[in-house]
Amino acid sequence: MRREITERLALTYRSWARRRQLTDPADIARWAWEFVNSRRYCLMVTAAEDGPAARVLEPFAPRDGLIRLGTDPASRKVADIRRTGRCLLVYQDDRRRACVTLDCEATVQTEGHLPFKPAWRSFWAAGPDQTYVAITCRPVALEAWSATAVIAPEPFGRRSARLVRQDGRWEFEPTDRDGGRPA
């Protein structure tokens, strides 16, 4: 009986979701940025010399299409970014059953105005100094999936929507040779 109820609920959700599915790249990108802006923490993944390295960070709110983070210049993530110029930022919300992944070009800023959060005085008592840098992330591609906003491309819900930045706009990634979107 329980299995039958679950299956009925799943098919009801599918019917409801297919009618309100986000399919326009501009709408998906707008939703993704709102989602990113609503999250306090993200996971940053870099390509370390011995494989991927991930850590949870507290970024600043996105501004002008960029995401910035503060950290210690001696950190592993800074070394990875200086070597590769790339990182991946992952934002997730289990309650909303949604996630956004941003593939970014990244740079390390050591001078000029460095963003800083007052609570970070715990770690940098005098504020930003020579032991503090800012990482600037410029997303060049994004992947989004959401059960509640219904970002669930064909085959329905089994893939993320993948967008790439082209000429200042977010567009679907070009299709692969089989006519489908890469997984």
Side-chain angles (χ1 to χ4, degrees), residues 3 35 39 63 74 151 159 171-172 174:
R3 179 183 169 121
F35 180 80
R39 305 286 81 215
R63 251 180 110 175
I151 300 171
R159 295 187 180 179
E171 299 291 337
F172 283 114

Side-chain angles (χ1 to χ4, degrees), residues 52 62 85 107 133 151 160:
T107 57
V133 296
I151 300 171
S160 299

Side-chain angles (χ1 to χ4, degrees), residues 38-97:
S38 75
R39 305 286 81 215
R40 181 171 181 179
Y41 298 103
C42 70
L43 182 73
M44 176 187 270
V45 182
T46 57
E49 290 185 14
D50 58 346
R55 71 285 284 159
V56 175
L57 297 171
E58 183 179 5
F60 294 93
R63 251 180 110 175
D64 303 323
L66 301 173
I67 297 170
R68 300 182 78 199
L69 307 105
T71 194
D72 188 305
S75 68
R76 186 181 56 203
K77 63 187 152 296
V78 168
D80 295 345
I81 288 170
R82 283 187 168 140
R83 192 180 72 263
T84 66
R86 303 290 289 222
C87 72
L88 193 68
L89 300 177
V90 181
Y91 294 82
Q92 180 175 327
D93 185 336
D94 291 346
R95 188 178 51 77
R96 290 169 39 190
R97 297 180 295 160

Side-chain angles (χ1 to χ4, degrees), residues 120-143:
W120 291 353
R121 293 262 182 203
S122 301
F123 312 108
W124 292 276
D129 60 15
Q130 71 278 2
T131 66
Y132 180 85
V133 296
I135 298 172
T136 301
C137 303
R138 181 183 174 277
V140 294
L142 74 78
E143 285 194 38

